[in-house]
Amino acid sequence: MKYLDPVTGKTSFRELRRDSSETDVAFELTFSCYRQFQFLDRDRTREWFVESLQEARNTLPFDLWAWVIMPEHVHLLVCPRSDEMTVGEIRSRIKEPVARRAIAWLEQSAPDWLPRITVQEGKRTRRRFWQPGGGYDRNATELVTIYSMIDYIHNNPVRRGLVEKSTDWEWSSARWYADMSPVLIQMDRTLPMRVE
C-alpha cells in the first residue's frame, strides 16, 4: 500500500506480509512507534499498552512468555494455542486499542503533534501511532533459542542505560521471572523449564 508522509514528503510502500501461526512455535514480535517517536515514554501510554495486552490475552488463544515496553518500541514473546490464530491478529488486537487511545489523547491534549503523525494514503488521511507494517518478527522452536529471546527482551532497558538490572525495569516480565512482586502481568506457565 502506498502512503505519503507530509513531514518528509516521501512516498513509501507498506509491504504486504504473510501472517501465519503454528502451535508450539514461539514468536518474538517487535513493533515500533511511528518514526521512532517515544510515545511509550509515559506511564499513561504504557498502562494503556498493558491493558490492551491483558485484554488480548483474555480473548485470544495465545500464551505470553515475555514482554518489554521501551520508550519507542515493544517486544513480546507469544505462543499461539491454536493453528487458527494468526500472529497478525494477535498483533493488531494489542496495537489498535493503544493507538486509538493515544491519538485521542493527542487530539485533546497535544494537538501540535497531529501534523507529525498524519499521513495521506491515497485519498485517505490517517494518523499514525505505530510504524506501518507488521514490525519485525522471529519464530523459534528450540528451547535454548526461546530462552535466549527472553534474555534479549529483558536486557533491552539495561543495554539502553535506563536501568542497571533488568528487574529494575517495571515495564517488562523480568521481575516475574525473578519471582519478584509486584508484577504488572503474569506470564503463562506453559513454557518448559530452562535446562542449564
Side-chain angles (χ1 to χ4, degrees), residues 41-59:
D41 197 31
R42 301 267 190 251
D43 287 352
R44 166 191 63 244
T45 316
R46 292 187 284 231
E47 288 167 4
W48 294 338
F49 187 88
V50 168
E51 290 170 15
S52 185
L53 179 55
Q54 288 286 50
E55 180 60 27
R57 289 177 72 203
N58 291 338
T59 58

Side-chain angles (χ1 to χ4, degrees), residues 53 56-57 60-64 78-81 85 90 94 188:
L53 179 55
R57 289 177 72 203
L60 299 176
F62 72 92
D63 292 332
L64 178 64
V78 301
C79 184
R81 293 192 305 263
M85 176 58 38
I90 294 169
I94 296 167
D188 292 298

Side-chain angles (χ1 to χ4, degrees), residues 41-137:
D41 197 31
R42 301 267 190 251
D43 287 352
R44 166 191 63 244
T45 316
R46 292 187 284 231
E47 288 167 4
W48 294 338
F49 187 88
V50 168
E51 290 170 15
S52 185
L53 179 55
Q54 288 286 50
E55 180 60 27
R57 289 177 72 203
N58 291 338
T59 58
L60 299 176
F62 72 92
D63 292 332
L64 178 64
W65 288 345
W67 65 282
V68 67
I69 302 172
M70 298 295 288
E72 74 294 326
H73 72 280
V74 173
H75 293 282
L76 303 174
L77 185 62
V78 301
C79 184
R81 293 192 305 263
S82 165
D83 287 337
E84 305 295 314
M85 176 58 38
T86 67
V87 171
E89 187 174 358
I90 294 169
R91 187 187 310 108
S92 67
R93 278 287 187 91
I94 296 167
K95 290 170 64 175
E96 286 176 17
V98 179
R100 279 195 298 275
R101 289 177 82 173
I103 290 168
W105 187 91
L106 289 172
E107 289 170 345
Q108 291 293 316
S109 305
D112 55 307
W113 265 94
L114 298 178
R116 295 185 233 178
I117 64 168
T118 302
V119 296
Q120 193 70 36
E121 291 180 346
K123 294 181 181 180
R124 188 173 180 189
T125 301
R126 285 184 177 231
R127 293 200 170 119
R128 296 238 177 250
F129 178 84
W130 299 109
Q131 191 66 22
Y136 175 75
D137 302 346

